[in-house]
Amino acid sequence: MTELFAVIGITLLAVISPGPDFAMVSRNSLLLSRRAGVLTALGIGCGCFIHIGYTILGIGLIIQQSLLLFNALKLIGAAYLLWLGWKMLRARPSALGAAAGIAPLSTWAALRTGFLTNALNPKTTVFIVSLFMQVVQPTTPLAVQLGYGLFIAAAHIGWFALVALFFSADRVQTRLLAMRHWIDRAFGAVLVGFGALLASSSLRS
């Protein structure tokens, strides 16, 4: 029970802490649609399974022990965040509809955006690998470990779906969409900042 409560508590704290996932869901919900935000949240949850899978298979231990491999993963994640951020920084003002000037996302594109944002997020790598290496006991049955993984993914989906519902609310959109190009640029700056931090930390290591 102690292990279970530790997994639940640490997971909830990690999920609600700000990061690239939060920025992407907030942006897609506010500037595109509730559907785009919820699908992005679902993609984020699916991305968690990548980290959970290699951790349970034991590759997470290799990543934890190999500074070169971990830094390579951080550089890949940084490049993706910088690319996303640069696209958002190029947003232009428009007097047309709520999402004018912003290409709508298909179902697959929204899922893919969330999936890649999480799967390439070293913050999630550190969280899940550390959780399974430090909190989950080696004697914990595989079925229980898989249950923890499902909870982690579900917690990500649930939290970010709530974020999507909030930022896609009519009252929130009405107040903020007049400044949508500045909001897009702000989220772009956040992602560029995360990417630059990841890249610089990788190069210093």
Side-chain angles (χ1 to χ4, degrees):
M1 292 300 293
T2 301
E3 181 181 279
L4 174 62
F5 289 141
V7 169
I8 292 174
I10 294 171
T11 296
L12 294 179
L13 289 174
V15 168
I16 65 177
S17 63
D21 294 342
F22 183 88
M24 186 55 62
V25 172
S26 302
R27 182 262 181 184
N28 286 352
S29 305
L30 180 62
L31 301 183
L32 294 174
S33 67
R34 175 168 296 177
R35 175 179 172 277
V38 171
L39 287 171
T40 303
L42 183 58
I44 287 170
C46 292
C48 289
F49 286 116
I50 298 296
H51 305 286
I52 294 162
Y54 63 63
T55 299
I56 290 178
L57 287 172
I59 301 174
L61 181 61
I62 298 174
I63 294 173
Q64 189 180 48
Q65 299 299 322
S66 173
L67 184 62
L68 180 62
L69 178 57
F70 183 58
N71 283 335
L73 291 174
K74 286 204 293 186
L75 283 173
I76 294 171
Y80 180 68
L81 293 178
L82 288 169
W83 176 70
L84 285 177
W86 172 247
K87 285 183 24 175
M88 295 180 195
L89 284 171
R90 297 175 62 194
R92 295 289 183 267
S94 174
L96 300 177
I102 304 175
L105 289 179
S106 65
T107 297
W108 168 243
L111 286 169
R112 183 183 61 211
T113 298
F115 177 83
L116 290 176
T117 299
N118 185 271
L120 297 176
N121 185 0
K123 171 177 173 280
T124 311
T125 299
V126 172
F127 154 57
I128 293 180
V129 171
S130 299
L131 182 68
F132 275 82
M133 298 299 169
Q134 305 299 327
V135 177
V136 180
Q137 299 300 312
T139 55
T140 299
L142 178 59
V144 175
Q145 294 188 43
L146 292 174
Y148 291 157
L150 288 173
F151 171 75
I152 292 170
H156 278 77
I157 294 172
W159 168 250
F160 289 115
L162 289 175
V163 171
L165 292 176
F166 173 78
F167 280 100
S168 61
D170 291 339
R171 183 175 298 181
V172 175
Q173 287 190 326
T174 299
R175 291 186 177 184
L176 296 179
L177 281 182
M179 305 179 293
R180 58 186 170 272
H181 65 288
W182 289 112
I183 294 170
D184 214 16
R185 291 173 183 176
F187 281 126
V190 169
L191 292 180
V192 167
F194 277 123
L197 286 173
L198 285 175
S200 62
S201 68
S202 300
L203 294 174
R204 285 199 305 267
S205 301

